[in-house]
Amino acid sequence: MRDVLPWREQVPLDGTMGEPRARGRFGEYGGRYAPESLVEACREVEEAFREAWVDPGFRGALARLLAVHAGRPTPLTPARRLSEALGVQLYLKREDLTHTGSHKINNVLGQALLAARMGRRRLIAETGAGQHGVATATAAALLGLEATVFMGERDVERQALNVFRMRMLGAEVVPVTTGSRTLKDATSEAMRHWVGATGDSHYCLGSVVGPDPYPWMVREFQRVIGDEARGQCAAELRTGVPDYAVACVGGGSNAAGTFAGFADTPARLVGVEAEGGAGATRGRLGVMHGCRSLFLQDDDGQITQAHSIAAGLDYPGVGPEHAHLRDLGRARYVTVTDDEAVGAAVRLARTEGIVPALESAHALAWVIRAAGGGDLPAGSTVLMTLSGRGDKDVSTMKELL
Ligand SMILES: *Cc1c(COP(=O)(O)O)cnc(C)c1O
């Protein structure tokens, strides 16, 4: 490993992305802060997941679904023209090429299969812009489950096309009229609804947030990104392991899945947040949605609204494991503005013929800035997870360009 950044060098190379400690703790974060009935329901999910995850039958069935339905493995694409311009060697892990267009399908197929194994007949989910809702509706249809998706009323209005997609896939979409009528409220409402339906329904949470076992379980379902990339890097990269592994962070699932594949290597891990949704960078300790983590808060400790041009990064907190990795110095978290992300999306489109999701464009914007500013030494090898494709963002982009 060449000498690159003045990062904290004494990082633990092993064990940082294994199982959480007792009661779902990652350092001082995590836990299961939920009403009694949900604590019991979470315990059942944990038990079922533990059994399933060591069962070759379950693992095989999931691997097969990921292959024949979601299109895995996804390629590792060298970004040749952009690399040359930036003076680094950039490789893209192409989650944008999965069925439904983002990494979210990895998690929902895992949870839907688990729900079916637990004898549940319905999935409950929250959604912001609709991406996780569409993925959940897709997995439910595939496995013959029902799906009920909670979505803030404002998002229902703003994302009419995704609402239609979910309904076309057979899901019920429930508009949430409380609070700011966006993702935070939809999540609260979905959890409240689950309280009365734990017997026949599984709560299919969309990121590495929420009560234990979700942060751990969702990371394990997304680990396929990092594991595949690790093998592909070993075959493709001059250095075998990339110098940097970079991913955008909303709740943090695509980043956690990516990092998990490289946690025991010398790769520097970088999570890129939206300037207006920077839970890991600027959040303070708090409890929300069943978990202790870092959240954007006002002086009274009220969780504040996040703002990002990328709907998937518009969450005021970050998963507990990311908070822990930050404290350890094992991963570093940085922020990128809306304008930088839009610029990066256009640049990728024009140099590589790939239109990225605006979420993924945040990760690229940091790579571009860091390569230009010396944070990424010339010649570094960089693995970046391209979490999703940009089709959903073209109307946003059209108004800006
Ligand atoms: C939802 C989403 C994200 C953010 O979610 P994480 O849990 O942080 O991965 C990032 N990219 C895309 C394309 C998304 O749809």
Side-chain angles (χ1 to χ4, degrees), residues 99-260:
H99 177 51
T100 69
S102 85
H103 68 289
K104 288 195 169 74
I105 194 75
N106 305 327
N107 171 43
V108 297
L109 285 178
Q111 288 200 48
L113 206 56
L114 185 69
R117 179 181 166 109
M118 293 173 76
R120 306 292 189 254
R121 59 170 187 83
R122 187 171 67 126
L123 300 179
I124 298 168
E126 79 295 337
T127 197
Q131 298 305 112
H132 175 59
V134 169
T136 302
T138 299
L142 178 68
L143 296 183
L145 303 168
E146 292 169 30
T148 305
V149 181
F150 290 83
M151 188 172 188
E153 195 177 43
R154 278 183 56 197
D155 292 330
V156 169
E157 288 160 13
R158 289 188 290 196
Q159 305 288 342
L161 205 56
N162 272 342
V163 173
F164 174 73
R165 275 197 189 103
M166 288 183 263
R167 290 187 171 143
M168 182 160 169
L169 288 158
E172 178 194 12
V173 179
V174 182
V176 173
T177 55
T178 51
S180 56
R181 295 174 290 138
T182 57
L183 176 60
K184 183 156 71 71
D185 314 288
T187 308
S188 306
E189 201 52 42
M191 294 181 85
R192 207 167 297 141
H193 179 79
W194 192 32
V195 172
T198 53
D200 71 347
S201 301
H202 172 75
Y203 181 25
C204 183
L205 190 43
S207 190
V208 287
V209 298
D212 177 57
Y214 286 94
W216 170 50
M217 176 172 72
V218 175
R219 180 251 280 162
E220 287 299 289
F221 286 142
Q222 293 292 1
R223 171 185 286 278
V224 65
I225 304 172
D227 285 348
E228 278 178 15
R230 173 89 175 259
Q232 290 166 321
C233 285
E236 291 275 320
L237 268 62
R238 169 175 55 72
T239 49
V241 167
D243 296 327
Y244 296 82
V246 185
C248 66
V249 174
S253 67
N254 87 88
T258 303
F259 293 176

Side-chain angles (χ1 to χ4, degrees), residues 5 7 244-250 255 259 268-283 294 296 308 313 318 322 325-326 330-338 340-341 359-371 375-376 384:
L5 271 183
W7 295 33
Y244 296 82
V246 185
C248 66
V249 174
F259 293 176
R268 272 118 167 114
L269 311 178
V270 182
V272 186
E273 298 191 295
E275 181 70 29
T281 317
R282 276 196 281 285
L294 299 172
L296 299 178
S308 170
L313 305 187
V318 70
H322 286 292
L325 291 172
R326 182 199 75 158
R330 179 63 188 95
R332 184 179 158 196
Y333 296 85
V334 294
T335 66
V336 152
T337 64
D338 285 357
E340 285 178 298
E359 291 84 359
S360 325
H362 282 69
L364 183 66
W366 179 78
V367 172
I368 292 171
R369 191 213 294 157
D375 237 5
L376 269 179
M384 192 200 103

Side-chain angles (χ1 to χ4, degrees), residues 62-75:
L62 179 56
R64 181 161 170 78
L65 278 187
L66 288 170
V68 302
H69 192 75
R72 302 208 74 90
T74 59

